[in-house]
Amino acid sequence: MALVKSTLKGAILALLTEMRERTEVCDDEFAERFASAIDDYIKSATVTVAAGITVATSGSPTSQTGVTTATGTGKIS
């Protein structure tokens, strides 16, 4: 899924609104929930890697297994 900036903004605004309504401020809770909002946002990203990464394979022609042997560059969206 593509990153949707408005989703992160909404989560931050909801957190700020809720924290402002409290009579007791807890910086630790705010920091934890803010970090979680950012973490959730980043983990919702799609990473697309271009085709063409070199691989080494083994097995029969109908049952190949393998791993990449070169690094690739990804794009987060």
Side-chain angles (χ1 to χ4, degrees), residues 9-22:
K9 179 181 176 182
I12 293 169
L13 286 172
L15 173 60
L16 289 171
T17 300
E18 182 183 331
M19 297 302 279
R20 276 194 209 102
E21 292 171 353
R22 294 185 177 190

Side-chain angles (χ1 to χ4, degrees), residues 45-51 73-77:
T46 298
V47 178
T48 305
V49 179
T73 302
K75 178 184 178 193
I76 296 175
S77 61

Side-chain angles (χ1 to χ4, degrees), residues 7-52:
T7 301
L8 177 60
K9 179 181 176 182
I12 293 169
L13 286 172
L15 173 60
L16 289 171
T17 300
E18 182 183 331
M19 297 302 279
R20 276 194 209 102
E21 292 171 353
R22 294 185 177 190
T23 56
E24 304 246 344
V25 177
C26 181
D27 290 343
D28 188 59
E29 179 186 356
F30 174 79
E32 179 65 33
R33 291 177 61 190
F34 187 74
S36 291
I38 294 169
D39 187 60
D40 291 346
Y41 175 72
I42 291 170
K43 288 180 178 177
S44 73
T46 298
V47 178
T48 305
V49 179

